[in-house]
């Protein structure tokens, strides 16, 4: 068995989930921006391009289950309430291996006067290259939150169109459905987001596809030429072009020396 994942402060996935996920830390443990450790995080040992994804949504919609399913292909039914863990894995996108980091975020509570958006959530969204907004088809309030969360993403990324996918989870619980997944699709279309209806408990492929499409969108937005490897090669100094004046002068000197030698014979 590999090394145990560090146990984060506060609540976390159950022991079973923890043992499945090797490469994990909490937001608090994330290296400070600009530090050497952060640079390692950004590229990984192999210098791969990095895609950072934040998973947001109301409490209990299945965010942790979704992330764990994506990372391990397993559904682990029971999680303690989440304090915000960061997970990493690699994915193949169009022949390129990308390092991806997935940030699970604490569930949002809805109050009469709006969202309880703490600074931790804002920080996660600011940090992300792409966002998964999750709602549950068994919870109408979680559906109503989508618009506000999308707005928050836009506010925190002014001037950029961040790739966002809306995920309607718990598709297996049709008997207690409160939201028709069609509504989710319509809203996603209006917001210009991709949409997936999934059952984290019953299907891995849909979960994988939702993350895959985000990675693809991000990778298209960050052309490979911006990778540090490429930038490094462009920093290698080009040989200086020969100075023509200098060459001419030296040629003349050599010529006159030869003439002198010939005349002295
Ligand atoms: N039937 C069913 N249950 C699910 C599905 N996805 C998640 N669950 C269950 O829903 C409950 C909540 O899942 P979590 O992953 O903890 O939800 P969360 O959004 O991370 O919750 P917070 O940590 O409070 O934000 C758990 O009991 C899961 O087993 C699903 O697709 N189908």
């Amino acid at each position: 068995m590999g090394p145990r994942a560090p146990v984060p402060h506060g609540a976390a996935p159950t022991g079973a989930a923890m043992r499945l996920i090797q490469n994990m830390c909490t937001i608090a443990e994330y290296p400070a921006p600009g530090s050497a450790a952060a640079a390692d995080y950004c590229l990984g040992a192999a210098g791969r391009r990095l895609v950072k994804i934040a998973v947001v949504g109301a409490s209990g919609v299945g965010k942790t289950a979704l992330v764990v399913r994506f990372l391990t292909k397993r559904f682990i039914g029971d999680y303690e309430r989440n304090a915000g863990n960061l997970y990493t894995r690699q994915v193949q996108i169009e022949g390129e291996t990308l390092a991806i980091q997935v940030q699970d975020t604490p569930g949002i509570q809805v109050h009469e006067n709006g969202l309880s958006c703490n600074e931790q959530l804002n920080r996660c969204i600011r940090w992300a290259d792409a966002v998964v907004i999750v709602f549950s088809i068994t919870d109408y309030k979680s559906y109503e939150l989508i618009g506000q969360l999308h707005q928050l993403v836009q506010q925190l990324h002014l001037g950029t169109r961040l790739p966002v996918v809306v995920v309607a989870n718990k598709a297996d619980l049709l008997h207690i459905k409160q939201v028709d997944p069609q509504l989710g699709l319509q809203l996603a279309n209006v917001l210009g987001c991709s949409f997936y209806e999934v059952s984290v408990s019953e299907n891995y492929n849909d979960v994988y596809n939702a993350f895959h499409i985000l990675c693809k969108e991000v990778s298209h937005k960050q052309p490979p030429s911006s990778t540090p490897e490429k930038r490094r090669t462009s920093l290698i100094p080009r040989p200086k072009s020969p100075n023509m004046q200098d060459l001419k002068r030296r040629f003349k000197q050599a010529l006159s020396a030869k003439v002198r030698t010939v005349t002295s014979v």
Side-chain angles (χ1 to χ4, degrees):
M1 198 172 75
R4 292 283 299 266
V7 179
H9 305 296
T14 55
M18 293 281 285
R19 276 189 296 280
L20 281 167
I21 302 163
Q22 308 284 317
N23 203 352
M24 182 182 88
C25 73
T26 63
I27 298 168
E29 291 160 359
Y30 190 77
S35 66
D40 280 353
Y41 251 90
C42 289
L43 285 167
R48 300 208 154 92
R49 282 204 289 159
L50 175 71
V51 176
K52 293 172 288 178
I53 300 175
V55 179
V56 303
S59 190
V61 295
K63 295 182 297 300
T64 306
L66 179 87
V67 172
V68 171
R69 181 68 136 154
F70 171 59
L71 294 165
T72 67
K73 297 193 180 177
R74 305 266 295 267
F75 175 67
I76 298 156
D78 200 18
Y79 301 92
E80 288 165 40
R81 288 199 59 197
N82 175 266
N85 294 319
L86 181 75
Y87 308 90
T88 62
R89 72 166 272 186
Q90 292 177 357
V91 284
Q92 287 281 333
I93 302 284
E94 294 164 344
E96 186 189 355
T97 307
L98 300 179
I100 71 166
Q101 291 180 339
V102 185
Q103 178 69 66
D104 188 6
T105 60
I108 295 155
Q109 316 282 338
V110 189
H111 299 296
E112 277 163 20
N113 50 354
L115 302 186
S116 64
C117 280
N118 55 29
E119 188 43 40
Q120 188 181 7
L121 178 70
N122 291 348
R123 210 167 50 233
C124 292
I125 294 176
R126 258 190 235 109
W127 160 91
D129 300 315
V131 174
V132 181
I133 302 179
V134 189
F135 76 97
S136 164
I137 67 156
T138 64
D139 176 1
Y140 194 79
K141 283 210 165 85
S142 72
Y143 164 76
E144 287 183 320
L145 215 56
I146 299 173
Q148 294 175 68
L149 283 170
H150 187 262
Q151 210 177 351
L152 183 66
V153 171
Q154 288 192 312
Q155 276 167 12
L156 295 173
H157 286 270
L158 274 183
T160 31
R161 240 186 120 264
L162 214 70
V164 175
V165 62
V166 173
V167 169
N169 187 29
K170 307 199 185 182
D172 54 298
L173 297 178
L174 283 174
H175 55 291
I176 47 169
K177 179 174 89 173
Q178 289 185 3
V179 192
D180 189 332
Q182 267 312 105
L183 286 179
L185 173 63
Q186 282 165 13
L187 184 55
N189 283 341
V190 169
L191 299 174
C193 308
S194 315
F195 174 79
Y196 281 86
E197 182 186 347
V198 308
S199 164
V200 171
S201 67
E202 293 193 347
N203 188 310
Y204 167 73
N205 286 341
D206 296 335
V207 171
Y208 178 82
N209 289 339
F211 280 95
H212 192 265
I213 198 155
L214 272 190
C215 294
K216 214 163 150 180
E217 280 185 53
V218 174
S219 106
H220 287 173
K221 282 180 80 178
Q222 307 172 338
S225 58
S226 67
T227 58
E229 252 83 358
K230 291 267 166 65
R231 263 191 267 125
R232 252 204 306 272
T233 53
S234 70
L235 289 177
I236 296 171
R238 275 195 298 151
K240 281 189 184 155
S241 59
N243 181 331
M244 289 312 287
Q245 294 295 336
D246 191 44
L247 276 181
K248 269 187 201 165
R249 187 178 50 77
R250 277 198 271 164
F251 181 67
K252 269 188 192 162
Q253 267 177 1
L255 208 65
S256 62
K258 207 167 201 170
V259 171
R260 270 204 304 278
T261 322
V262 171
T263 45
S264 65
V265 167

